[in-house]
Short mmCIF file of all heavy atoms in Angstrom, two decimals:
data_model
loop_
_atom_site.label_atom_id
_atom_site.label_comp_id
_atom_site.label_asym_id
_atom_site.label_seq_id
_atom_site.Cartn_x
_atom_site.Cartn_y
_atom_site.Cartn_z
N MET A 1 0.84 -1.20 0.00
CA MET A 1 0.00 0.00 0.00
C MET A 1 0.87 1.23 0.00
O MET A 1 0.83 2.08 0.89
CB MET A 1 -0.89 -0.01 1.24
CG MET A 1 -1.81 -1.19 1.24
SD MET A 1 -3.51 -0.69 1.42
CE MET A 1 -3.57 -0.33 3.15
N LYS A 2 1.68 1.32 -0.99
CA LYS A 2 2.67 2.38 -1.04
C LYS A 2 2.03 3.76 -1.12
O LYS A 2 2.55 4.74 -0.61
CB LYS A 2 3.55 2.15 -2.28
CG LYS A 2 4.63 3.16 -2.45
CD LYS A 2 5.93 2.48 -2.81
CE LYS A 2 7.04 3.46 -2.53
NZ LYS A 2 8.32 3.01 -2.98
N TRP A 3 0.85 3.82 -1.73
CA TRP A 3 0.24 5.12 -1.99
C TRP A 3 -0.11 5.87 -0.72
O TRP A 3 -0.25 7.07 -0.72
CB TRP A 3 -1.00 4.94 -2.87
CG TRP A 3 -1.99 3.99 -2.28
CD1 TRP A 3 -1.99 2.63 -2.39
CD2 TRP A 3 -3.12 4.32 -1.47
NE1 TRP A 3 -3.04 2.11 -1.69
CE2 TRP A 3 -3.75 3.11 -1.14
CE3 TRP A 3 -3.65 5.53 -1.01
CZ2 TRP A 3 -4.90 3.07 -0.34
CZ3 TRP A 3 -4.80 5.48 -0.23
CH2 TRP A 3 -5.42 4.26 0.10
N MET A 4 -0.30 5.17 0.38
CA MET A 4 -0.62 5.94 1.59
C MET A 4 0.50 5.88 2.62
O MET A 4 0.30 6.25 3.76
CB MET A 4 -1.96 5.53 2.20
CG MET A 4 -2.05 4.11 2.64
SD MET A 4 -3.43 3.90 3.82
CE MET A 4 -4.82 4.51 2.92
N GLN A 5 1.66 5.46 2.21
CA GLN A 5 2.77 5.48 3.15
C GLN A 5 3.53 6.79 3.06
O GLN A 5 3.78 7.30 1.98
CB GLN A 5 3.72 4.32 2.86
CG GLN A 5 3.23 3.04 3.46
CD GLN A 5 4.22 1.93 3.24
OE1 GLN A 5 5.29 2.15 2.70
NE2 GLN A 5 3.85 0.75 3.66
N HIS A 6 3.88 7.29 4.20
CA HIS A 6 4.65 8.53 4.24
C HIS A 6 6.07 8.21 4.64
O HIS A 6 6.32 7.35 5.47
CB HIS A 6 4.05 9.48 5.26
CG HIS A 6 2.77 10.11 4.81
ND1 HIS A 6 1.65 9.38 4.58
CD2 HIS A 6 2.46 11.39 4.55
CE1 HIS A 6 0.69 10.20 4.19
NE2 HIS A 6 1.15 11.42 4.16
N THR A 7 6.98 8.95 4.10
CA THR A 7 8.33 8.89 4.64
C THR A 7 8.37 9.72 5.91
O THR A 7 7.47 10.51 6.16
CB THR A 7 9.34 9.49 3.64
OG1 THR A 7 9.07 10.88 3.51
CG2 THR A 7 9.25 8.80 2.31
N CYS A 8 9.41 9.53 6.69
CA CYS A 8 9.52 10.28 7.95
C CYS A 8 9.57 11.78 7.67
O CYS A 8 9.06 12.59 8.44
CB CYS A 8 10.75 9.83 8.71
SG CYS A 8 10.58 8.16 9.37
N ARG A 9 10.18 12.13 6.56
CA ARG A 9 10.28 13.56 6.25
C ARG A 9 8.92 14.14 5.94
O ARG A 9 8.56 15.22 6.41
CB ARG A 9 11.21 13.75 5.05
CG ARG A 9 12.00 15.04 5.15
CD ARG A 9 12.86 15.24 3.96
NE ARG A 9 12.38 16.38 3.20
CZ ARG A 9 12.70 16.64 1.96
NH1 ARG A 9 13.51 15.83 1.31
NH2 ARG A 9 12.25 17.69 1.35
N GLN A 10 8.14 13.41 5.15
CA GLN A 10 6.79 13.89 4.86
C GLN A 10 5.96 13.96 6.13
O GLN A 10 5.19 14.90 6.33
CB GLN A 10 6.12 12.95 3.86
CG GLN A 10 6.66 13.10 2.46
CD GLN A 10 6.10 12.02 1.55
OE1 GLN A 10 6.02 10.86 1.93
NE2 GLN A 10 5.72 12.40 0.36
N ALA A 11 6.13 12.96 6.98
CA ALA A 11 5.38 12.93 8.24
C ALA A 11 5.72 14.15 9.08
O ALA A 11 4.83 14.79 9.66
CB ALA A 11 5.67 11.65 9.01
N ALA A 12 7.01 14.50 9.13
CA ALA A 12 7.42 15.66 9.92
C ALA A 12 6.80 16.93 9.36
O ALA A 12 6.35 17.81 10.10
CB ALA A 12 8.94 15.77 9.93
N GLU A 13 6.76 17.03 8.03
CA GLU A 13 6.15 18.21 7.42
C GLU A 13 4.68 18.30 7.78
O GLU A 13 4.16 19.36 8.13
CB GLU A 13 6.31 18.16 5.90
CG GLU A 13 7.67 18.63 5.44
CD GLU A 13 7.88 18.36 3.96
OE1 GLU A 13 6.89 18.11 3.25
OE2 GLU A 13 9.03 18.38 3.53
N LEU A 14 3.99 17.17 7.69
CA LEU A 14 2.57 17.16 8.01
C LEU A 14 2.33 17.49 9.47
O LEU A 14 1.39 18.20 9.81
CB LEU A 14 1.96 15.79 7.69
CG LEU A 14 1.82 15.46 6.20
CD1 LEU A 14 1.25 14.07 6.01
CD2 LEU A 14 0.95 16.48 5.52
N MET A 15 3.21 16.99 10.35
CA MET A 15 3.02 17.25 11.77
C MET A 15 3.12 18.74 12.09
O MET A 15 2.36 19.27 12.89
CB MET A 15 4.05 16.47 12.60
CG MET A 15 3.67 15.03 12.74
SD MET A 15 4.75 14.14 13.86
CE MET A 15 6.19 13.90 12.87
N SER A 16 4.08 19.42 11.44
CA SER A 16 4.17 20.86 11.74
C SER A 16 3.05 21.61 11.01
O SER A 16 2.52 22.58 11.52
CB SER A 16 5.54 21.40 11.37
OG SER A 16 5.80 21.19 10.03
N LEU A 17 2.67 21.11 9.84
CA LEU A 17 1.59 21.75 9.09
C LEU A 17 0.28 21.69 9.86
O LEU A 17 -0.46 22.67 9.93
CB LEU A 17 1.44 21.04 7.74
CG LEU A 17 0.47 21.69 6.75
CD1 LEU A 17 1.00 23.06 6.34
CD2 LEU A 17 0.28 20.82 5.53
N GLN A 18 0.00 20.54 10.48
CA GLN A 18 -1.31 20.37 11.12
C GLN A 18 -1.45 21.25 12.35
O GLN A 18 -2.54 21.36 12.91
CB GLN A 18 -1.55 18.91 11.47
CG GLN A 18 -0.79 18.45 12.69
CD GLN A 18 -1.19 17.02 13.09
OE1 GLN A 18 -2.16 16.49 12.60
NE2 GLN A 18 -0.40 16.41 13.95
N ARG A 19 -0.35 21.84 12.80
CA ARG A 19 -0.49 22.77 13.92
C ARG A 19 -0.91 24.15 13.45
O ARG A 19 -1.26 25.00 14.25
CB ARG A 19 0.83 22.82 14.70
CG ARG A 19 0.92 21.61 15.59
CD ARG A 19 2.27 21.37 16.17
NE ARG A 19 2.20 20.29 17.15
CZ ARG A 19 2.11 19.00 16.85
NH1 ARG A 19 2.11 18.62 15.60
NH2 ARG A 19 2.01 18.09 17.79
N ASP A 20 -0.83 24.37 12.14
CA ASP A 20 -1.27 25.66 11.59
C ASP A 20 -2.63 25.57 10.92
O ASP A 20 -3.40 26.50 10.95
CB ASP A 20 -0.26 26.17 10.57
CG ASP A 20 1.08 26.47 11.22
OD1 ASP A 20 1.08 26.82 12.42
OD2 ASP A 20 2.10 26.35 10.56
N GLU A 21 -2.90 24.44 10.29
CA GLU A 21 -4.14 24.30 9.55
C GLU A 21 -4.54 22.84 9.56
O GLU A 21 -3.69 21.97 9.70
CB GLU A 21 -3.94 24.76 8.10
CG GLU A 21 -2.86 23.97 7.38
CD GLU A 21 -2.62 24.50 5.98
OE1 GLU A 21 -1.99 25.57 5.88
OE2 GLU A 21 -3.06 23.87 5.02
N PRO A 22 -5.84 22.57 9.45
CA PRO A 22 -6.26 21.17 9.44
C PRO A 22 -5.78 20.47 8.17
O PRO A 22 -5.80 21.05 7.08
CB PRO A 22 -7.80 21.27 9.46
CG PRO A 22 -8.14 22.67 9.15
CD PRO A 22 -6.93 23.51 9.36
N LEU A 23 -5.32 19.24 8.35
CA LEU A 23 -4.92 18.46 7.19
C LEU A 23 -6.19 17.93 6.52
O LEU A 23 -7.22 17.81 7.16
CB LEU A 23 -4.07 17.28 7.63
CG LEU A 23 -2.77 17.62 8.37
CD1 LEU A 23 -2.10 16.34 8.81
CD2 LEU A 23 -1.85 18.43 7.50
N GLY A 24 -6.08 17.62 5.26
CA GLY A 24 -7.20 16.95 4.62
C GLY A 24 -7.35 15.55 5.19
O GLY A 24 -6.46 15.04 5.87
N PHE A 25 -8.47 14.93 4.91
CA PHE A 25 -8.75 13.61 5.46
C PHE A 25 -7.65 12.62 5.12
O PHE A 25 -7.14 11.92 5.99
CB PHE A 25 -10.09 13.11 4.91
CG PHE A 25 -10.40 11.70 5.34
CD1 PHE A 25 -10.91 11.46 6.62
CD2 PHE A 25 -10.17 10.64 4.50
CE1 PHE A 25 -11.19 10.16 7.02
CE2 PHE A 25 -10.44 9.34 4.90
CZ PHE A 25 -10.96 9.11 6.16
N TRP A 26 -7.26 12.55 3.87
CA TRP A 26 -6.29 11.54 3.46
C TRP A 26 -4.91 11.81 4.02
O TRP A 26 -4.18 10.89 4.38
CB TRP A 26 -6.23 11.43 1.94
CG TRP A 26 -7.46 10.79 1.41
CD1 TRP A 26 -8.45 11.39 0.69
CD2 TRP A 26 -7.87 9.43 1.57
NE1 TRP A 26 -9.43 10.48 0.42
CE2 TRP A 26 -9.11 9.29 0.93
CE3 TRP A 26 -7.29 8.33 2.20
CZ2 TRP A 26 -9.80 8.07 0.90
CZ3 TRP A 26 -7.97 7.11 2.18
CH2 TRP A 26 -9.20 7.00 1.54
N ARG A 27 -4.55 13.08 4.09
CA ARG A 27 -3.23 13.39 4.65
C ARG A 27 -3.20 13.09 6.14
O ARG A 27 -2.23 12.56 6.66
CB ARG A 27 -2.89 14.87 4.39
CG ARG A 27 -2.58 15.13 2.94
CD ARG A 27 -1.78 16.39 2.77
NE ARG A 27 -2.53 17.57 3.15
CZ ARG A 27 -2.04 18.80 3.10
NH1 ARG A 27 -0.82 18.99 2.67
NH2 ARG A 27 -2.76 19.82 3.45
N ALA A 28 -4.30 13.42 6.83
CA ALA A 28 -4.36 13.13 8.26
C ALA A 28 -4.32 11.62 8.49
O ALA A 28 -3.64 11.14 9.40
CB ALA A 28 -5.63 13.72 8.86
N LEU A 29 -5.02 10.89 7.64
CA LEU A 29 -5.02 9.43 7.78
C LEU A 29 -3.64 8.85 7.51
O LEU A 29 -3.16 7.99 8.25
CB LEU A 29 -6.04 8.83 6.79
CG LEU A 29 -6.16 7.30 6.86
CD1 LEU A 29 -6.71 6.87 8.22
CD2 LEU A 29 -7.07 6.79 5.75
N GLY A 30 -3.00 9.34 6.47
CA GLY A 30 -1.67 8.86 6.15
C GLY A 30 -0.69 9.13 7.28
O GLY A 30 0.14 8.27 7.64
N LEU A 31 -0.80 10.31 7.86
CA LEU A 31 0.07 10.67 8.98
C LEU A 31 -0.20 9.75 10.16
O LEU A 31 0.72 9.25 10.81
CB LEU A 31 -0.16 12.13 9.37
CG LEU A 31 0.63 12.61 10.58
CD1 LEU A 31 2.12 12.46 10.37
CD2 LEU A 31 0.29 14.05 10.90
N LYS A 32 -1.47 9.51 10.43
CA LYS A 32 -1.84 8.65 11.56
C LYS A 32 -1.28 7.25 11.35
O LYS A 32 -0.74 6.63 12.28
CB LYS A 32 -3.36 8.62 11.69
CG LYS A 32 -3.82 8.10 13.03
CD LYS A 32 -5.31 8.30 13.21
CE LYS A 32 -5.66 9.71 13.62
NZ LYS A 32 -7.05 9.86 14.04
N LEU A 33 -1.38 6.76 10.13
CA LEU A 33 -0.85 5.43 9.84
C LEU A 33 0.66 5.40 10.04
O LEU A 33 1.21 4.45 10.58
CB LEU A 33 -1.19 5.02 8.40
CG LEU A 33 -2.64 4.65 8.17
CD1 LEU A 33 -2.87 4.38 6.68
CD2 LEU A 33 -3.01 3.42 8.98
N HIS A 34 1.31 6.45 9.59
CA HIS A 34 2.77 6.49 9.74
C HIS A 34 3.15 6.51 11.22
O HIS A 34 4.05 5.79 11.65
CB HIS A 34 3.36 7.70 9.03
CG HIS A 34 4.85 7.71 9.09
ND1 HIS A 34 5.64 7.11 8.14
CD2 HIS A 34 5.70 8.21 10.01
CE1 HIS A 34 6.91 7.25 8.49
NE2 HIS A 34 6.97 7.92 9.62
N LEU A 35 2.44 7.31 11.99
CA LEU A 35 2.74 7.37 13.43
C LEU A 35 2.47 6.02 14.09
O LEU A 35 3.12 5.67 15.08
CB LEU A 35 1.88 8.46 14.10
CG LEU A 35 2.23 9.89 13.73
CD1 LEU A 35 1.31 10.86 14.44
CD2 LEU A 35 3.67 10.21 14.08
N GLY A 36 1.51 5.28 13.52
CA GLY A 36 1.21 3.97 14.08
C GLY A 36 2.35 2.99 13.94
O GLY A 36 2.51 2.08 14.76
N VAL A 37 3.17 3.15 12.91
CA VAL A 37 4.25 2.19 12.69
C VAL A 37 5.62 2.75 12.98
O VAL A 37 6.60 2.03 12.99
CB VAL A 37 4.23 1.67 11.23
CG1 VAL A 37 2.93 0.93 10.96
CG2 VAL A 37 4.43 2.80 10.25
N CYS A 38 5.72 4.05 13.22
CA CYS A 38 7.04 4.66 13.35
C CYS A 38 7.19 5.35 14.71
O CYS A 38 6.63 6.42 14.94
CB CYS A 38 7.24 5.67 12.22
SG CYS A 38 8.85 6.42 12.24
N GLY A 39 7.89 4.70 15.59
CA GLY A 39 8.09 5.24 16.94
C GLY A 39 8.88 6.54 16.93
O GLY A 39 8.65 7.42 17.76
N ASP A 40 9.80 6.68 16.00
CA ASP A 40 10.60 7.91 15.93
C ASP A 40 9.69 9.11 15.70
O ASP A 40 9.83 10.14 16.36
CB ASP A 40 11.60 7.82 14.78
CG ASP A 40 12.75 6.90 15.12
OD1 ASP A 40 12.89 6.57 16.32
OD2 ASP A 40 13.47 6.50 14.20
N CYS A 41 8.77 8.97 14.77
CA CYS A 41 7.91 10.10 14.45
C CYS A 41 6.91 10.36 15.57
O CYS A 41 6.53 11.51 15.79
CB CYS A 41 7.18 9.85 13.13
SG CYS A 41 8.29 10.05 11.73
N ARG A 42 6.50 9.30 16.29
CA ARG A 42 5.64 9.55 17.45
C ARG A 42 6.38 10.42 18.46
O ARG A 42 5.81 11.30 19.08
CB ARG A 42 5.24 8.22 18.11
CG ARG A 42 4.00 7.60 17.51
CD ARG A 42 3.35 6.62 18.47
NE ARG A 42 4.25 5.54 18.82
CZ ARG A 42 4.41 4.44 18.12
NH1 ARG A 42 3.73 4.29 17.01
NH2 ARG A 42 5.24 3.50 18.48
N GLU A 43 7.66 10.14 18.63
CA GLU A 43 8.45 10.93 19.58
C GLU A 43 8.55 12.38 19.11
O GLU A 43 8.40 13.32 19.90
CB GLU A 43 9.84 10.30 19.70
CG GLU A 43 10.71 10.94 20.74
CD GLU A 43 10.09 10.89 22.14
OE1 GLU A 43 9.36 9.92 22.46
OE2 GLU A 43 10.33 11.82 22.90
N VAL A 44 8.77 12.56 17.81
CA VAL A 44 8.83 13.93 17.26
C VAL A 44 7.51 14.64 17.50
O VAL A 44 7.48 15.81 17.90
CB VAL A 44 9.14 13.89 15.75
CG1 VAL A 44 8.98 15.27 15.13
CG2 VAL A 44 10.54 13.36 15.52
N ASP A 45 6.41 13.94 17.29
CA ASP A 45 5.10 14.52 17.48
C ASP A 45 4.92 14.98 18.93
O ASP A 45 4.42 16.07 19.20
CB ASP A 45 4.03 13.48 17.13
CG ASP A 45 2.65 14.11 17.00
OD1 ASP A 45 2.57 15.22 16.45
OD2 ASP A 45 1.68 13.50 17.45
N ARG A 46 5.38 14.14 19.85
CA ARG A 46 5.26 14.49 21.27
C ARG A 46 6.10 15.74 21.57
O ARG A 46 5.69 16.62 22.32
CB ARG A 46 5.76 13.31 22.11
CG ARG A 46 5.13 13.23 23.47
CD ARG A 46 5.48 11.92 24.14
NE ARG A 46 5.16 10.77 23.29
CZ ARG A 46 5.82 9.61 23.33
NH1 ARG A 46 6.82 9.44 24.15
NH2 ARG A 46 5.47 8.62 22.54
N GLN A 47 7.29 15.79 20.98
CA GLN A 47 8.15 16.94 21.26
C GLN A 47 7.57 18.22 20.66
O GLN A 47 7.70 19.30 21.25
CB GLN A 47 9.55 16.68 20.72
CG GLN A 47 10.29 15.69 21.61
CD GLN A 47 11.66 15.35 21.08
OE1 GLN A 47 12.12 15.96 20.11
NE2 GLN A 47 12.31 14.38 21.69
N LEU A 48 6.95 18.10 19.50
CA LEU A 48 6.31 19.28 18.91
C LEU A 48 5.20 19.78 19.81
O LEU A 48 5.03 20.98 20.00
CB LEU A 48 5.75 18.94 17.53
CG LEU A 48 6.76 18.92 16.39
CD1 LEU A 48 6.08 18.48 15.11
CD2 LEU A 48 7.37 20.29 16.20
N ASP A 49 4.44 18.84 20.39
CA ASP A 49 3.39 19.24 21.33
C ASP A 49 3.98 20.00 22.50
O ASP A 49 3.46 21.02 22.92
CB ASP A 49 2.67 18.00 21.87
CG ASP A 49 1.48 17.64 21.00
OD1 ASP A 49 1.05 18.49 20.21
OD2 ASP A 49 1.01 16.50 21.12
N ARG A 50 5.09 19.47 23.01
CA ARG A 50 5.71 20.10 24.18
C ARG A 50 6.21 21.49 23.80
O ARG A 50 6.06 22.46 24.54
CB ARG A 50 6.86 19.23 24.68
CG ARG A 50 7.15 19.42 26.13
CD ARG A 50 8.14 18.38 26.61
NE ARG A 50 7.67 17.02 26.37
CZ ARG A 50 8.48 15.97 26.26
NH1 ARG A 50 9.77 16.11 26.36
NH2 ARG A 50 7.98 14.77 26.06
N LEU A 51 6.80 21.59 22.61
CA LEU A 51 7.32 22.89 22.14
C LEU A 51 6.20 23.91 22.02
O LEU A 51 6.36 25.06 22.43
CB LEU A 51 7.98 22.72 20.78
CG LEU A 51 9.47 22.41 20.79
CD1 LEU A 51 9.95 22.32 19.36
CD2 LEU A 51 10.21 23.51 21.53
N SER A 52 5.06 23.49 21.47
CA SER A 52 3.99 24.47 21.27
C SER A 52 3.40 24.86 22.62
O SER A 52 3.02 26.01 22.82
CB SER A 52 2.92 23.94 20.33
OG SER A 52 2.31 22.80 20.85
N ASP A 53 3.36 23.92 23.57
CA ASP A 53 2.96 24.29 24.93
C ASP A 53 3.89 25.33 25.49
O ASP A 53 3.48 26.32 26.07
CB ASP A 53 3.01 23.06 25.85
CG ASP A 53 1.76 22.21 25.70
OD1 ASP A 53 0.86 22.63 24.94
OD2 ASP A 53 1.70 21.14 26.32
N LEU A 54 5.17 25.06 25.29
CA LEU A 54 6.20 25.93 25.85
C LEU A 54 6.08 27.34 25.27
O LEU A 54 6.08 28.33 26.00
CB LEU A 54 7.57 25.34 25.52
CG LEU A 54 8.74 25.88 26.32
CD1 LEU A 54 8.59 25.46 27.76
CD2 LEU A 54 10.04 25.31 25.76
N SER A 55 5.96 27.45 23.95
CA SER A 55 5.92 28.77 23.35
C SER A 55 4.60 29.46 23.71
O SER A 55 4.56 30.66 23.88
CB SER A 55 6.10 28.71 21.84
OG SER A 55 5.16 27.87 21.26
N ALA A 56 3.52 28.69 23.85
CA ALA A 56 2.26 29.29 24.29
C ALA A 56 2.45 29.89 25.68
O ALA A 56 1.97 30.98 25.96
CB ALA A 56 1.16 28.23 24.31
N GLY A 57 3.18 29.19 26.53
CA GLY A 57 3.45 29.70 27.86
C GLY A 57 4.28 30.98 27.81
O GLY A 57 4.00 31.94 28.51
N LEU A 58 5.27 30.98 26.92
CA LEU A 58 6.12 32.16 26.80
C LEU A 58 5.31 33.37 26.35
O LEU A 58 5.40 34.45 26.93
CB LEU A 58 7.23 31.91 25.78
CG LEU A 58 8.40 31.07 26.28
CD1 LEU A 58 9.38 30.83 25.14
CD2 LEU A 58 9.10 31.77 27.43
N TRP A 59 4.51 33.17 25.30
CA TRP A 59 3.73 34.31 24.80
C TRP A 59 2.72 34.74 25.84
O TRP A 59 2.47 35.92 26.05
CB TRP A 59 3.02 33.94 23.49
CG TRP A 59 3.97 33.62 22.40
CD1 TRP A 59 3.97 32.50 21.62
CD2 TRP A 59 5.09 34.40 21.93
NE1 TRP A 59 5.01 32.55 20.73
CE2 TRP A 59 5.69 33.68 20.89
CE3 TRP A 59 5.61 35.63 22.33
CZ2 TRP A 59 6.82 34.17 20.22
CZ3 TRP A 59 6.73 36.12 21.66
CH2 TRP A 59 7.31 35.38 20.62
N GLY A 60 2.11 33.77 26.51
CA GLY A 60 1.14 34.09 27.54
C GLY A 60 1.78 34.91 28.64
O GLY A 60 1.22 35.89 29.11
N GLY A 61 3.02 34.51 29.02
CA GLY A 61 3.72 35.22 30.08
C GLY A 61 4.03 36.64 29.68
O GLY A 61 3.95 37.56 30.48
N ALA A 62 4.37 36.86 28.39
CA ALA A 62 4.72 38.18 27.92
C ALA A 62 3.52 39.12 27.99
O ALA A 62 3.68 40.32 28.20
CB ALA A 62 5.23 38.10 26.48
N HIS A 63 2.33 38.54 27.84
CA HIS A 63 1.15 39.38 27.88
C HIS A 63 0.83 39.84 29.30
O HIS A 63 0.16 40.84 29.48
CB HIS A 63 -0.07 38.62 27.33
CG HIS A 63 -0.09 38.63 25.84
ND1 HIS A 63 -0.15 39.79 25.11
CD2 HIS A 63 -0.06 37.63 24.94
CE1 HIS A 63 -0.13 39.49 23.83
NE2 HIS A 63 -0.08 38.18 23.69
N GLY A 64 1.29 39.07 30.27
CA GLY A 64 1.10 39.48 31.65
C GLY A 64 -0.35 39.39 32.09
O GLY A 64 -0.91 38.32 32.22
N ALA A 65 -0.98 40.56 32.27
CA ALA A 65 -2.28 40.60 32.92
C ALA A 65 -3.41 40.06 32.04
O ALA A 65 -4.39 39.55 32.54
CB ALA A 65 -2.61 42.03 33.33
N GLY A 66 -3.31 40.22 30.74
CA GLY A 66 -4.44 39.85 29.89
C GLY A 66 -4.60 38.36 29.72
O GLY A 66 -4.16 37.79 28.73
N GLU A 67 -5.25 37.74 30.65
CA GLU A 67 -5.43 36.29 30.56
C GLU A 67 -6.68 35.93 29.81
O GLU A 67 -7.77 36.41 30.13
CB GLU A 67 -5.49 35.69 31.97
CG GLU A 67 -4.13 35.28 32.47
CD GLU A 67 -4.21 34.05 33.36
OE1 GLU A 67 -4.49 32.96 32.81
OE2 GLU A 67 -4.01 34.18 34.56
N GLU A 68 -6.51 35.08 28.79
CA GLU A 68 -7.69 34.57 28.13
C GLU A 68 -7.66 33.06 28.22
O GLU A 68 -7.26 32.38 27.28
CB GLU A 68 -7.77 35.03 26.69
CG GLU A 68 -6.47 35.61 26.17
CD GLU A 68 -6.58 36.04 24.72
OE1 GLU A 68 -6.64 35.17 23.85
OE2 GLU A 68 -6.58 37.24 24.47
N GLY A 69 -8.02 32.55 29.36
CA GLY A 69 -7.99 31.11 29.57
C GLY A 69 -9.08 30.44 28.77
O GLY A 69 -10.16 30.99 28.57
N ASP A 70 -8.78 29.23 28.27
CA ASP A 70 -9.80 28.49 27.54
C ASP A 70 -10.32 27.32 28.37
O ASP A 70 -10.94 26.41 27.87
CB ASP A 70 -9.27 28.01 26.19
CG ASP A 70 -8.02 27.17 26.37
OD1 ASP A 70 -7.62 26.94 27.52
OD2 ASP A 70 -7.45 26.75 25.35
N GLY A 71 -10.00 27.34 29.64
CA GLY A 71 -10.52 26.31 30.51
C GLY A 71 -9.72 25.01 30.51
O GLY A 71 -10.04 24.09 31.22
N THR A 72 -8.64 24.96 29.70
CA THR A 72 -7.87 23.72 29.65
C THR A 72 -6.55 23.83 30.41
O THR A 72 -5.75 22.94 30.36
CB THR A 72 -7.55 23.35 28.19
OG1 THR A 72 -6.83 24.41 27.59
CG2 THR A 72 -8.83 23.10 27.42
N GLN A 73 -6.36 24.94 31.08
CA GLN A 73 -5.12 25.08 31.81
C GLN A 73 -5.13 24.26 33.09
O GLN A 73 -6.16 24.06 33.68
CB GLN A 73 -4.91 26.55 32.20
CG GLN A 73 -4.69 27.43 31.01
CD GLN A 73 -4.48 28.88 31.44
OE1 GLN A 73 -4.56 29.18 32.61
NE2 GLN A 73 -4.24 29.72 30.47
N ARG A 74 -3.95 23.79 33.45
CA ARG A 74 -3.84 23.13 34.75
C ARG A 74 -3.16 24.06 35.73
O ARG A 74 -2.03 24.38 35.52
CB ARG A 74 -2.98 21.89 34.62
CG ARG A 74 -3.55 20.94 33.63
CD ARG A 74 -2.91 19.61 33.88
NE ARG A 74 -3.15 18.77 32.70
CZ ARG A 74 -2.83 17.52 32.65
NH1 ARG A 74 -2.25 16.95 33.65
NH2 ARG A 74 -3.06 16.83 31.58
ZN1 LIG B 1 8.64 8.06 10.65
#
């Protein structure tokens, strides 16, 4: 099923892309399948999540008083 297999590089591109815009159905599915078989990319995905949390915290901190919580903060 070569047509829906992603290389790690494509997977990495999709992972950063999906943080800016929703992937199409097939691209999201292909990425999910790749993450299912590739532990390296799962790790990258986790680190990207941590990075975006971190930068969200940084930007939030810079704003200081203007808190716009979405109810998901711990
Ligand atoms: Zn991979």
